[in-house]
Amino acid sequence: MSRFILVVVLMFAGSGARAEWEGNADLGVSFATGNTESLDTDVALDAIWTGERFTHEFDLTAYRSDIFADLGGPWLRAQNVVDADYAMRFRRRGSRWYGTLNADAYYDLGLDWRFTGSVGGGLQLVDSERHTLIAEIGVGQTVQRAADAAFEFGETAWRWSLEGQWWLIPERLEFSAGVRWMHIDGHGEIYDGETVLRLVVL
């Protein structure tokens, strides 16, 4: 699957905020191609705290995903989703290796709640002011509501990814591209590629 995403980001920060905090308000649209085609539009609020060893990120996103069989083909279904996500990254001083912890609550307005927790690790291959390159591995587990309204364990997913990011215009226009492999128990394997263009407006 290849994906092109154009995201317009409106950034804000409180005048009394500490230097480690950064706040974002994001508006985005994405186009995806692969086994299915999709068109996504979203609005998101982000808060990121960056320290010497730990990074904490909180995201609240509302988006609509229209999924169809082929470009120009019939629409299969539309998803209206609210997603709350927490991600933590931690590393030893001076190390390029890091660990990750992620918790996600996902609500599809046409279906129900789903929760995902994952752990993993990564290696920062390149780190400069203009570009970065990272490789990550991880495993995640979903918990979802069953037909009898009780929660049950869902799919377990194993993943590997490689992603590069480049500032085409420093702090204004960012381009990123990556590849991902994922194995979802009971569903098989997914291979996809993603390209992202992000415009930051202060």
Side-chain angles (χ1 to χ4, degrees), residues 57 59 84-88 100-105 116-120 159:
E57 181 173 355
D59 301 317
D85 180 83
Y86 165 72
M88 179 178 69
T100 60
L101 175 66
N102 181 274
D104 180 82
T116 302
S118 63
V119 295
R159 61 178 174 82

Side-chain angles (χ1 to χ4, degrees), residues 83-100:
D83 183 87
D85 180 83
Y86 165 72
M88 179 178 69
R89 179 182 293 185
F90 52 94
R91 71 174 73 202
R92 297 182 60 183
R93 291 184 180 89
S95 175
R96 291 182 176 269
W97 294 93
Y98 59 87
T100 60

